Amino acid sequence: MPLSAPLIEMRGISKSFGAVKANEAVDLSVAPGEILGLLGENGAGKTTLMNVLFGAYAPDAGEILVQGKPVTINSSADALAAGIGMVHQHFHLAPRLSVLENLLIGISGRSGRIDRAGGLARLGEIGRQHGLTLDPDLPVSALSVGEQQRLEIVKALFRGARLLILDEPTAVLAPTEVDGLFAALRSMSAQGLGIIFISHKLNEVRALTHRCVVLRHGRVAGRVDAPASTTSSEMARLMCGHEIVPPARGPSTPGAAVLTLEGISTSGHAGTPLRDVSLFVRAGEILGIAGVSGNGQRALADVISGVRAADAGQMTIAGKMVSRFSPREVQALGLGRIPEDRMTTGLVTNLPLADSMVLPRIGTGAFSRNGLLKPDAIRAFAEAQIKAYDIRCPGPMTRAGALSGGNLQKALLARELAFDPKVLIVSQPTRGLDIGAARFIHEKFLDMRTKGCGIIVIGEDLEELLMLSDRIAVMYEGRIAGTLASADATVARLGLMMTGAEGTA
Amino acid sequence: MFRLEARTSTPAWFNLALPLLAIGATLVLCSGLIALAGAGVIEAYGVMFSASLGDSYAITETLVRAAPMIFTGLAVAVAFRAKFWNIGAEGQLLAGAVASCAVGAIPMPGPLAMFLMAVAGAGAGAAVALIPATLRVKFKVDDVVSSLLLNSVIFYALMALIEGPWKDSFSGYPISPPIEESANFPVLLEGTRLHLGVLAALIAAPLIWFLIVRTTLGFRIRVTGENPEAARYGGIHVERVLISTALLSGALAGLAGVGEVGGVHFQVMSDISPGYGYSGIVVAMLARLNPLGVVPAAIFLAAVMTGAEAMSRATGVPAFLSEVIQGTALLAMLVALLFTAYRIRRVGAAR
Ligand SMILES: Nc1ncnc2c1ncn2[C@@H]1O[C@H](COP(=O)(O)OP(=O)(O)O)[C@@H](O)[C@H]1O
Ligand SMILES: [Mg+2]
């Protein structure tokens, strides 16, 4: 446990972007061997504060001390020289280069030569110490997201970081990978490394950190000295400024099946293919799909969304057979889709938000006629949804990419729900969202359920699935390993089925 | 110390300010070369200006030169919007010129001939552009490389034609037979070379703007260019959009060739285009891929080209300066575009 003088200290840090005060008079310190949790809702200023520490932004006021001495950090090179390493939310890796080459970028010996052998040795050493093993010769593009993150951590250690900043590292990880990450972080902390761990998942913070700083609207809203013995609801109150109650799932009588899959199999393409998948969702019912990611969830979502055709099997939507598997066909039959990856398959970040909001229905009478767009209708639609869903943005012509994750997710939800889908398929609906935004999304799903929509939620967060679903199907290696009524499902039982250990038809 | 910081939004006035900034920077940078060539900078730019925009005849000459670059600029702007990297406007222009010249040489009523020349030229340009687009869609062949290399293929094919089977038997030079006189595009202003094709170019720009901004095809082109994955998931046939874009882009570049044959040269020769296809890239970039911006951008480059010739006669600065200015303008614009995504911030001032 930490006892010694602080490794780094930030005093009175303020940073504004125009009128937005991202950080205001923030104090924070980390001691050697300490894991500090940095908590806060989206937009609370966590990333900005860490970017100041890492030299990406110059603070408007305040100072940074490293081992008691004031320092000026103007670049990431300065930060690294001061022993500060950061793993960003979006990784900074060269995808075509190998693991080892990525480690050695920017590091060369005095003669300008690259020390491959030395790098290899250090890589092995770091891997053994903290359980962060990586194949040095694999190209980064072949690594999973979890492995890329591991490489980012190793990179920071390789450069001699004594303080490691991790910006929402678990947002991209599967539950099993989270365990591995925590083990590595604990091992580093035991060796005297300071760690700043950003998250808004309270159970993670409680399990891992020694101390917490909670930010709200750029200010320190509270400090928690013993996270393990503080309740989640107390911390949630600090983060949001008010109580958060999970929405209640009332009873509902499911109607006829609105989506059925019969013996669907796929082949080719990336990812795990589907093998003889049969399932159904009824009107007014939420079906959860649990499973460790990479067990065919992507293929399942793609087939249902009409992006990938099934090689065998049949699918019906609202009683009608899907014949061609195109996004337009399934949409015309009444399917709404909220993609897993908002930025890549959902929105067009460089175009106005309004364009993304009408994208899937641009060819329909609502937004165009005889090949001519209806700009007024598009604008009015976007404005109405922005209002109805309280999407925080300057207006429908704002670049979609400028919105925060929670607001983007609301926009995607709005664009689908506006057309009263009979079936809704969503993947990881609240990944990366804070408690307030997640709560809003959950409420909308439950509303839709009451209104008679059939919903499939693909997710890895078992607690979320248990809260939302009427039934939960578990995917394992491209098959449905079993389906449970949510009354019979527990985290433990689902967890077992997800490893392929138990099957219940 | 200065540093680049990412912007979250780009002010609208940047669209106008950046090209002007780029042009200003270009003229300043190139004044050094003029001085090196031993001429007065002010005098040289003065001659350039008066020779290209100084009187109404000069203006018509500049417009005649701008017309093909409006077409190639539009071709590139449309293609780049979809991120179909068409570097082949030069070859598509040449193909359009050859096809329209072949059609124009057939005796028929003038208006019909002009119409068929345009159809043939646009069709030929589109057919050429289809090659790199198909290679990309079907086999993932890099469109930059394939469209660029096709330019040489078409250029030498044209040379082979006009030095061989298609050579005008009444001329000692490697040029094609002329088109019928009735197929010559009408002149709009007596005593100038301002021809129908120039008007067509000026009309094409707002039409293409309308297509990009107000039609579903334009919407699909924009979305496909910015995020093909989101487009695909949104039900857009990305391959089909790329092919349509290529056809449209090639047709526009082909029309540049039609105008040169029908309104300026009345036949095909090896130097029918002094690189109008490549200039189209500069034009489109200066216009920030906005079809309406293509017109002033093309006029600027045309003025530089006509002006540079006059300047070289008057001051002895080599006319190659026009190409240097074009290249510098492209680089300046690419640098200026950086400011749409980043701002410059002074660091260390807070301390
Ligand atoms: N580069 C930037 N330009 C303008 N505003 C920004 C920028 N970066 C962050 N912000 C704003 O600052 C606030 C804090 O953002 P951020 O630090 O990313 O929060 P968090 O990481 O806690 O979600 C938000 O309101 C955000 O919109
Ligand atoms: Mg953040």
Side-chain angles (χ1 to χ4, degrees), chain A residues 15 55-60 71-75 298 302 307 327-328 331 337 343-348 350-351 355 358-360 362-363 368 371-373 375 399 402, chain B residues 1 3-10 83 210 212-217 219-220 222-223 226-237 240 345-348 350-351:
Chain A
K15 170 74 190 172
Y57 297 132
D60 301 332
V71 291
T72 307
I73 301 177
N74 261 335
S75 66
R298 181 69 191 255
D302 281 357
V307 180
R328 279 192 219 181
Q331 188 188 301
R337 159 187 169 274
M343 295 290 200
T344 58
T345 67
L347 297 148
V348 189
N350 263 335
L351 292 180
D355 286 359
V358 299
L359 166 57
I362 195 64
S368 67
L372 296 185
L373 299 177
R399 264 186 63 232
Chain B
M1 200 180 136
R3 185 179 26 217
L4 292 175
E5 265 187 23
R7 281 179 185 280
T8 46
S9 64
T10 314
K83 298 226 160 71
F210 186 86
I212 293 286
V213 176
R214 286 294 165 81
T215 69
T216 48
L217 175 62
F219 183 93
R220 294 190 172 117
R222 284 182 279 139
V223 171
E226 289 295 346
N227 185 348
E229 272 301 288
R232 200 163 66 87
Y233 276 83
I236 292 174
H237 297 284
R240 217 181 279 174
R345 208 186 132 91
R346 252 189 114 119
V347 295
R351 262 154 266 268

Side-chain angles (χ1 to χ4, degrees), chain A residues 183-309:
Chain A
L185 294 182
R186 288 195 184 103
S187 140
M188 289 179 229
S189 136
Q191 292 202 351
L193 236 84
I195 293 170
I196 299 181
F197 175 83
I198 301 184
S199 177
H200 41 228
K201 293 184 190 159
L202 298 171
N203 50 354
E204 291 175 0
V205 171
R206 292 180 53 220
L208 181 71
T209 64
H210 300 137
R211 218 156 49 81
C212 283
V213 172
V214 185
L215 289 184
R216 178 161 19 110
H217 303 314
R219 294 173 160 278
V220 176
R223 296 174 197 272
V224 181
D225 283 331
S229 52
T230 310
T231 64
S232 286
S233 64
E234 254 174 84
M235 287 203 238
R237 199 169 47 239
L238 281 177
M239 267 168 70
C240 319
H242 57 83
E243 212 78 45
I244 291 276
V245 214
R249 185 164 51 91
S252 126
T253 10
V258 284
L259 173 83
T260 66
L261 270 64
E262 264 306 317
I264 294 277
S265 296
T266 61
S267 65
H269 300 282
T272 309
L274 296 181
R275 290 190 284 165
D276 193 23
V277 167
S278 299
L279 56 81
F280 65 90
V281 189
R282 291 169 293 190
E285 176 182 58
I286 297 182
L287 172 70
I289 306 275
V292 177
S293 82
N295 275 284
Q297 290 96 327
R298 181 69 191 255
L300 180 68
D302 281 357
V303 166
I304 296 177
S305 319
V307 180
R308 178 193 290 204

Side-chain angles (χ1 to χ4, degrees), chain B residues 23-98:
Chain B
I23 289 171
T26 302
L27 296 182
V28 170
L29 286 171
C30 293
S31 61
L33 291 176
I34 295 176
L36 275 178
V41 172
I42 307 280
E43 183 206 346
Y45 281 144
V47 173
M48 261 178 95
F49 180 81
S50 60
S52 57
L53 300 166
D55 59 64
S56 56
Y57 180 76
I59 291 176
T60 63
E61 276 301 292
T62 298
L63 284 176
V64 168
R65 251 197 219 255
M69 289 191 283
I70 293 177
F71 274 123
T72 55
L74 290 173
V76 173
V78 166
F80 282 17
R81 276 293 178 106
K83 298 226 160 71
F84 166 56
W85 301 115
N86 184 9
I87 314 295
E90 184 75 10
Q92 291 142 25
L93 179 156
L94 295 178
V98 169

Side-chain angles (χ1 to χ4, degrees), chain A residues 33-167:
Chain A
E34 183 176 43
I35 306 183
L36 177 78
L38 186 57
L39 273 163
E41 293 206 282
N42 283 321
K46 308 178 294 289
T47 298
T48 304
L49 186 66
M50 290 304 110
N51 274 329
V52 167
L53 183 54
F54 195 59
Y57 297 132
D60 301 332
E63 57 176 352
I64 298 171
L65 290 82
V66 172
Q67 287 175 329
K69 285 192 221 64
V71 291
T72 307
I73 301 177
N74 261 335
S75 66
S76 53
D78 289 355
L80 287 166
I84 301 169
M86 180 159 175
V87 177
H88 290 88
Q89 254 166 310
H90 305 285
F91 304 143
H92 296 175
L93 295 168
R96 288 179 187 219
L97 298 188
S98 73
V99 165
L100 185 61
E101 285 162 338
N102 266 277
L103 273 186
L104 295 173
I105 291 174
I107 301 180
S108 51
R110 215 169 286 146
S111 60
R113 290 224 352 252
I114 289 169
D115 180 12
R116 255 189 85 88
L120 212 53
R122 277 283 282 147
L123 176 64
E125 189 188 322
I126 294 171
R128 272 190 305 281
Q129 270 182 353
H130 307 298
L132 294 167
T133 45
L134 285 164
D135 179 344
D137 297 320
L138 272 186
V140 163
S141 56
L143 300 184
S144 73
V145 177
E147 288 167 326
Q148 292 183 25
Q149 186 179 71
R150 211 179 291 163
L151 175 55
E152 284 281 21
I153 295 173
V154 172
K155 224 168 87 183
L157 298 181
F158 197 84
R159 277 147 214 234
R162 277 163 296 145
L163 174 82
L164 186 65
I165 305 166
L166 296 128
D167 195 352

